[in-house]
Amino acid sequence: MATPSNPVPTEAPDAITGPDDLELVARAQSGDTSAFNELVTRYRTRAFSMIYNMVRNEQDSWDLAQDGFLKAWKSIGKFRGQSSFYTWLYRILMNVTIDWLRKKQIAGGTEFDDQIGLNNIAPGAATAPKGEMEPAAKISDSEIRQRIDEAISKLSPEHRTAIVMREIDGLEYTEIAEQMECSIGTVMSRLFYARKKLQALLKDVYETI
Amino acid sequence: MKPFEEQFTAWVDGELSDAELAEFEKQLAAHPDAMAEKNGAQRLGELLRAHPTAPRLTNPDFFNHQLMQRIAAEEPRPVEKERSVGFWSLSRLVWAGAFCLVSAFGLYEAMIPKPGSHGTDTDSKYFAQVVESWPSDPSISATTVYNPDDNVTVVWLDGLDYIPASATLQ
């Protein structure tokens, strides 16, 4: 079976020296803020990147990472060690981010219509918009990133979450379903439509590079 | 059977079992562009992974500093309050209750005779001193003996030479 290239986020990305996570968590649970500060140092970069992949804005990502870590501190007494600390933290960060996206969607009156551009696309049909960019044109990395940002920002929070978790964070279906509190079938369906829309928006990019 | 969308996604990700794959491939005849779609989805995944768009976290130390300030401004965490509810926490109450139950059961087993429990012990008798009586002669004392074999209680009156006919037990 094929698996995503990225590892499942159950461990710290970098080599860790000093006390392990569970020891730091135990100290944090007894009120030691310096132990929690060490946990923040270990996971702040990864948390920020994960959130940025969802919201596509640096300042919002900073604020949401702050909110996520603060929420983790407030509820660290409930952490029982049944998963890794980062898995537990990841869920908190993801929930904070999804809630923010939904509120933004409501406040801004934005409709993330995932069917836009897909109504005429049957499963298995070609999805590329024609003539958007010359195939021979070389796209710079910054342009590619901008195109990816724009494309992902057009997805609904649910579809965005599913595709980021699968393709960028490298989670399995079961892990995504657990994080999003939905069935595996729903995850697969969301992935299907998220990919369809992204393929329609980015086909010229991935076929050019 | 799973909807086409779910099967297609599992097919793209290589998550179909052999049986599911064989079944799904039968449906692909109706979708001539499916293979191109699969390749496109896989290339999309490669594109997303190859071009992480997240910038580096600038001022990471300030990130910690700001967070620690927010934590310091917060009320003490609820968990700390839960821990300071006094000696009788929930777990201690449960253990104390269990200990009391076990102790009560043990006392019951040790102290309270059961009607059928001494049937095999033919020598077992239960003596009792009658502590309150009103004999005509202070030298007379009363004792009872219970014989479980015969289910009879015998009253001993020490110091009594005879029982007057008027006081015969009925």
Side-chain angles (χ1 to χ4, degrees):
Chain A
M1 288 201 177
T3 54
S5 59
N6 290 353
V8 176
T10 54
E11 295 178 358
D14 305 316
I16 291 174
T17 57
D20 65 20
D21 284 0
L22 292 182
E23 186 180 334
L24 290 171
V25 167
R27 284 168 49 194
Q29 285 175 329
S30 63
D32 184 349
T33 52
S34 66
F36 189 73
N37 194 38
E38 173 61 27
L39 288 166
V40 174
T41 301
R42 288 181 183 181
Y43 295 110
R44 63 192 174 192
T45 303
R46 201 166 183 190
F48 176 79
S49 298
M50 186 271 284
I51 293 170
Y52 184 90
N53 285 326
M54 295 281 291
V55 304
R56 304 279 149 180
N57 179 282
E58 199 168 347
Q59 185 58 52
D60 291 337
S61 302
W62 175 289
D63 293 342
L64 288 169
Q66 286 271 325
D67 292 347
F69 276 113
L70 185 63
K71 193 170 182 181
W73 164 256
K74 286 179 181 174
S75 53
I76 198 160
K78 297 174 186 170
F79 178 70
R80 297 281 175 257
Q82 291 167 332
S83 63
S84 75
F85 173 73
Y86 186 69
T87 301
W88 180 78
L89 174 67
Y90 183 93
R91 183 168 196 165
I92 291 175
L93 296 170
M94 193 56 78
N95 285 337
V96 166
T97 307
I98 291 172
D99 286 348
W100 182 86
L101 283 168
R102 285 179 179 149
K103 285 174 187 169
K104 187 182 177 190
Q105 179 181 355
I106 293 168
T110 312
E111 286 290 333
F112 290 102
D113 184 358
D114 292 304
Q115 299 303 313
I116 291 173
L118 295 178
N119 293 332
N120 299 323
I121 302 172
T127 53
K130 297 292 188 290
E132 190 165 311
M133 185 171 286
E134 288 295 323
K138 189 70 177 174
I139 311 175
S140 70
D141 275 0
S142 61
E143 286 176 301
I144 292 172
R145 289 193 176 89
Q146 186 180 351
R147 289 288 304 279
I148 293 173
D149 276 355
E150 290 170 359
I152 290 182
S153 67
K154 290 177 181 169
L155 298 178
S156 69
E158 288 76 15
H159 288 186
R160 193 184 304 197
T161 304
I163 198 76
V164 167
M165 282 183 170
R166 178 68 188 178
E167 298 290 11
I168 299 175
D169 294 337
L171 270 63
E172 300 289 344
Y173 296 155
T174 51
E175 294 170 312
I176 300 171
E178 187 183 341
Q179 297 280 355
M180 298 187 74
E181 297 178 340
C182 63
S183 69
I184 292 176
T186 301
V187 169
M188 296 161 84
S189 177
R190 287 174 179 174
L191 279 173
F192 176 84
Y193 287 107
R195 281 173 172 158
K196 279 283 183 188
K197 184 153 190 173
L198 289 181
Q199 280 178 258
L201 295 167
L202 295 171
K203 184 173 184 180
D204 60 304
V205 178
Y206 63 71
E207 287 199 337
T208 303
I209 58 173
Chain B
M1 178 181 277
K2 292 177 183 174
F4 180 86
E5 291 89 342
E6 295 179 21
Q7 289 181 308
F8 186 88
T9 299
W11 181 55
V12 167
D13 291 330
E15 299 280 0
L16 288 177
S17 66
D18 291 343
E20 290 172 328
L21 181 61
E23 184 66 30
F24 183 69
E25 283 177 342
K26 292 177 187 173
Q27 299 181 49
L28 290 180
H31 302 277
D33 296 324
M35 186 56 75
E37 280 292 294
K38 179 184 180 183
N39 291 336
Q42 290 173 338
R43 292 188 68 181
L44 171 70
E46 291 166 7
L47 175 78
L48 295 175
R49 288 188 291 275
H51 293 84
T53 58
R56 291 182 64 82
L57 178 65
T58 52
N59 297 321
D61 290 339
F62 180 67
F63 182 88
N64 285 48
H65 174 74
Q66 187 181 37
L67 181 64
M68 289 302 118
Q69 279 192 323
R70 291 182 68 184
I71 286 174
E74 289 288 323
E75 293 290 318
R77 284 183 291 110
V79 66
E80 297 303 313
K81 292 178 182 173
E82 288 168 9
R83 285 179 179 174
S84 60
V85 294
F87 180 79
W88 290 108
S89 63
L90 182 61
S91 60
R92 282 182 173 172
L93 281 171
V94 169
W95 280 110
F99 177 78
C100 288
L101 282 173
V102 169
S103 300
F105 181 75
L107 285 170
Y108 174 81
E109 287 293 311
M111 302 296 289
I112 306 300
K114 296 182 178 62
S117 63
H118 40 67
T120 56
D121 184 3
T122 53
D123 296 331
S124 176
K125 295 180 175 63
Y126 300 93
F127 291 86
Q129 177 77 39
V130 178
V131 295
E132 191 173 7
S133 60
W134 298 272
S136 56
D137 184 344
S139 63
I140 298 171
S141 63
T143 307
T144 63
V145 179
Y146 170 68
N147 187 329
D149 293 335
D150 301 323
N151 196 25
V152 168
T153 300
V154 178
V155 180
W156 289 87
L157 296 171
D158 291 330
L160 184 65
D161 292 332
Y162 68 96
I163 299 176
S166 61
T168 303
L169 292 173
Q170 299 298 314

